[in-house]
Each structure stands twice: as C-alpha cells, then as structure tokens.
Amino acid sequence: MGSMISSADVVVTSPGRNYVLLRVTTEDGLVGWGDATLNGRELAVASYLRDHVVPLLVGRDAHRVEDTWQYLYRGAYWRRGPVTMAAIGAVDTALWDLKGKAAGLPVYQLLGGAVREGVYAYAHAFGWDHGELVASVDRRLAEGFRAVRVQFGVPGLDAVYGVHLGAAAYEPAGRGRGPLVERWAGAPYLRHAPGALAAIRDHVGPDVDLLHDVHHRLTPVEAARLAKDVEPIRLFWLEDVTPAENHHALDLVRQHSTTPLAIGETFTTIWDCQELLVRGSIDYIRAAVTHAGGLSHVRRIADLAALHGVRAAPHGPSDLSPINLAASLHLALSTHNVAIQEYMGHPGEAHEVFRTAYTYADGYLHPGDEPGLGVEVDLVAAERFPYEPAYLPVARTVDGTVWDW
C-alpha cells in the first residue's frame, strides 16, 4: 500500500524562466518530480494537470508507470497536442523518479543500465558579427565543448533566431503584455549564412562539431539550397530548416543534399515522427522528454528511430527545467542510439530552486547516481519567484506577413 499516490501538487515558479512542475507523493512519503513546462502557454498545462489529471492520480499505484501513461493518453479520448502531452510527460517522469527512489537506483539503471560513460553535449554560441561569434565559440571550446551550435546576425535584419543586434545575451521569452515582433527575410539570410558558417569552420578546424538552427523559417526550395550550399562545411547537423508539420519538405531537402538534418523539438508523439523516421528523411530526431509524453514515450520514439538508422538528440533548452534535463540524461546514458544532448544551462536563480546531481566535464554530461532522477526542488525558494507572463516572439516578414518563428 505504501506505493499508492497520496497527493499530487502543481508548482508554478519563475526563477529566471517560468516553469510548471508536478510533485507526486506516495503514502510512504516518497516524492517524485516531473516537468510540465510549455513556454508561453504555461498556465494551460498547469490547469490541465490541476483540474483534470491530479484528481485521477490520487489512489493509483505509483509503480504502474506504463498503465498510468496509457490511462492518461487513451483514456482522455482527445489525444495528443502539446498541452496534453506535457501534462502526461510530467506524470510519467515523476513516476520514474519515484520508482528509482523506491528501488534505491538512478533511473538509467531501471532503463537497462549505461551504454556509454557519458553523454556527448553541445553548447550554444552566438554573436551578431563574426568577431562576436568567434569570441563566443572560443569561450565554449575553453569550457571543454567539442560540439557547438552557432547562431549569427544577418546584415539588414535586427533579429535572427538566437541573436539580436546589440544584445549581450539572448532571451527569447519576453516579459510584458505581448510577444516581441521580429522581422524576417529569407533572401539575405540565404546569402549570408553559408559564408558565416564557413568562416567559423575555418576558425575551429575540422575536429569541432558545428551545428546550426534555422528554426523553421525556410521554404522547401530555400532549405534545399541552404543544405546544398553548406555541404563543404560538414555540419554535425542543420536543424529545423522548414516548418516541422510538412514532412515532405524534408524529402526535397534530402534529395539535393547530404547535409545531416535534425528536427522534432515541436513534436509531441511518435505519430508526429513516424513518417520522417520510416522514410529516412532525417538523421536526428529532437523530441523533448517533457513535451513528448515523458521518458516512456520518448524511449519508444528512440527505438523506432533506431530501426531506421536515425539517432535521437532530445531537445534541452533552458525554458525546460533541470528536471527535464536530468530525465534526458538518464534516457541518453541508457539508450544506444542517442547521439548528443543540448546543454544550455539554466538561469542563476534556477539553482536556488533546483538541486541537481548531474555533472558536466570535458564536453560530456552524466546524470549522477542518486536514486531517481537526481533533482530535488526547494519549495520555499520556489515561492520567492512568482509566475510572470512571458511570450516567445512572433516573426513577420519585412512586408508585415506573419511567418514561422
């Protein structure tokens, strides 16, 4: 009876970023934590959990992780979507945390044990002009990273994904009444991007893995042109070249280039990924543990990817909490076809709220060996950071047309 869930509580806190957390407690006093954050729509998930899911959890056996996943997914009838799947992801992750604590083992041991010594990680570097970007890349290399995502400015624009003109740091989620509007133009980006990336390749040499994120902004033909133009740079991957909903667009890109393609951070179920994986249209699938239904479901996505020669690389932004990163690391350490983990770090205030067991050294991450996920939340500290509305930007073309951000 001690494994029965006695309570579940939703915690909304904003230590530098807004986070939605789920705290699940069993009758024997164990506590499991899950992340339900959906940047820019946080309170929708908080309500889904508080008003619809939490009442279903009390009295359930916390050890029945798979049954609970199916109950929340199939039992709701209205399936899928980011709000539903983030809520399910929080429950699933919290239950894995509880199971690890009950067993006295880190979650990766429950998933089959380690298949590698550490998880290869990439960091972000940005700079509006070449000098700023080189300095940012060099800082990352000095920190031990050998894989770096590079984002740069474009002449004639004031904001491109990952960097703003004149900004010392990049924070897309703006506080205030509404989202920031960024202006976008594909033609100058396509003229500038290959040279900007080639210059960084010349600077770092052949042994550093370089990544670049287009953030869904190109048409299929534009994406194919860019992928072809950057082939000599030998990118680790080119990410999100077209809107993720249009799977056939990536077939066109694939036909014209051998540049590795990554996509999937906006996918929430295996059904979103299925066609791309089966057809071999991509090289890396980016579904996030929190947004895609938790550890149970992202492990299924990784297994399907493995059948088709695709590697997993779960999304790991700072707008998901350290709980999500810890879950991703347990998945990565125990899943054969995980290739790399995004590592942005978290705002300084977040470290006042979250105590974490994962570590970084020499370009690799490790989830640690504490029972469960290895993340605990200081509820008193969390209360010091109340929720503040924040929105991701909206992109418009130079003539004012809404575009994909």
Side-chain angles (χ1 to χ4, degrees), residues 284-304:
Y284 300 93
I285 185 66
R286 301 268 292 126
V289 171
T290 288
H291 294 155
L295 280 164
S296 298
H297 198 59
V298 175
R299 188 72 180 273
R300 290 192 185 97
I301 292 171
D303 286 343
L304 178 60

Side-chain angles (χ1 to χ4, degrees), residues 174-367:
R175 308 283 180 174
R177 293 188 175 183
L180 175 70
V181 175
E182 297 180 355
R183 295 291 178 178
W184 168 254
Y189 169 79
L190 289 170
R191 287 193 297 268
H192 183 72
L197 290 167
I200 296 301
R201 172 57 75 204
D202 289 343
H203 175 72
V204 301
D207 296 328
V208 174
D209 287 319
L210 296 179
L211 305 83
H212 179 63
D213 187 356
V214 185
H215 221 248
H216 312 287
R217 301 195 178 195
L218 299 180
T219 67
V221 168
E222 289 175 335
R225 184 190 313 157
L226 177 64
K228 187 174 182 179
D229 286 347
V230 301
E231 277 186 359
I233 300 164
R234 298 291 190 264
L235 293 177
F236 186 90
W237 75 41
L238 189 61
E239 182 181 352
D240 291 345
V241 288
T242 57
E245 300 94 325
N246 185 355
H247 291 186
H248 291 284
L250 291 168
D251 293 339
L252 179 67
V253 181
R254 179 68 96 203
Q255 289 168 16
H256 292 278
S257 174
T258 58
T259 296
L261 302 175
I263 205 164
E265 68 185 44
T266 61
F267 294 164
T268 61
T269 71
I270 198 169
W271 306 108
D272 299 324
C273 310
Q274 182 182 17
E275 277 192 70
L276 292 174
L277 299 178
V278 171
R279 294 204 309 266
S281 302
I282 58 173
D283 302 277
Y284 300 93
I285 185 66
R286 301 268 292 126
V289 171
T290 288
H291 294 155
L295 280 164
S296 298
H297 198 59
V298 175
R299 188 72 180 273
R300 290 192 185 97
I301 292 171
D303 286 343
L304 178 60
L307 291 178
H308 301 282
V310 177
R311 303 187 74 184
H315 187 41
S318 59
D319 59 29
L320 290 172
S321 83
I323 297 168
N324 174 80
L325 179 58
S328 285
L329 293 176
H330 285 278
L331 177 81
L333 198 71
S334 58
T335 303
H336 182 266
N337 66 316
V338 170
I340 197 167
Q341 175 62 53
E342 181 176 21
Y343 184 43
M344 289 183 68
H346 290 88
E349 302 97 324
H351 299 292
E352 300 178 36
V353 175
F354 299 94
R355 183 187 64 78
T356 59
Y358 56 74
T359 55
Y360 165 79
D362 299 324
Y364 289 84
L365 290 158
H366 193 284

